[in-house]
Amino acid sequence: MKLTESQIQESVAELSGWNRKDEKWIEKKYRFKEFLDGIKFVNQVAHLAERLVHHPMIAIDYKLVTLRLTTWSAGGLTELDIQSAREIDEIYRSQQISSV
């Protein structure tokens, strides 16, 4: 079910670095030290997307990966988008910790 405007504002405010785009999207950019680190991240996000059956728009620009989330069937943002964003951030954090 599509979130209300107040639910969206509250949920996005709790997410680190995610921004609202065009009313029905949330977006975040992730920067990596090496190109292949970004590719590894995208592969992990792809596995998450398959598990959740919820697939982000993904753009890879060398060491910068941009992800956008929306729920097409609901016509906007849902709790699944927020959950996906949280889990994607966890993937990023764990990858950064393991590469140190």
Side-chain angles (χ1 to χ4, degrees):
M1 179 168 49
K2 186 175 171 182
L3 297 174
T4 65
E5 185 61 32
S6 62
Q7 289 172 318
I8 293 169
Q9 289 178 9
E10 183 180 317
S11 296
V12 172
E14 294 172 357
L15 297 171
S16 177
W18 286 88
N19 297 300
R20 212 145 154 220
K21 298 288 181 184
D22 301 329
E23 299 302 311
K24 59 171 70 171
W25 295 88
I26 54 174
E27 176 184 274
K28 185 170 181 177
K29 296 178 184 295
Y30 297 87
R31 191 167 301 279
F32 296 88
K33 290 181 183 179
E34 302 292 332
F35 172 74
L36 288 177
D37 293 337
I39 298 302
K40 177 182 174 185
F41 171 73
V42 167
N43 282 326
Q44 291 175 325
V45 169
H47 286 287
L48 169 67
E50 285 293 296
R51 180 172 57 81
L52 296 177
V53 191
H54 191 63
H55 302 85
M57 300 294 282
I58 301 171
I60 303 169
D61 298 298
Y62 187 39
K63 296 189 261 183
L64 181 69
V65 174
T66 305
L67 299 178
R68 295 176 66 199
L69 292 164
T70 193
T71 302
W72 294 104
S73 61
L77 295 166
T78 67
E79 183 55 41
L80 188 53
D81 298 300
I82 304 306
Q83 175 189 351
S84 295
R86 287 187 188 113
E87 292 193 42
I88 290 167
D89 282 346
E90 185 55 40
I91 291 169
Y92 181 76
R93 275 191 294 281
S94 67
Q95 185 173 334
Q96 297 307 301
I97 290 168
S98 67
S99 67
V100 173

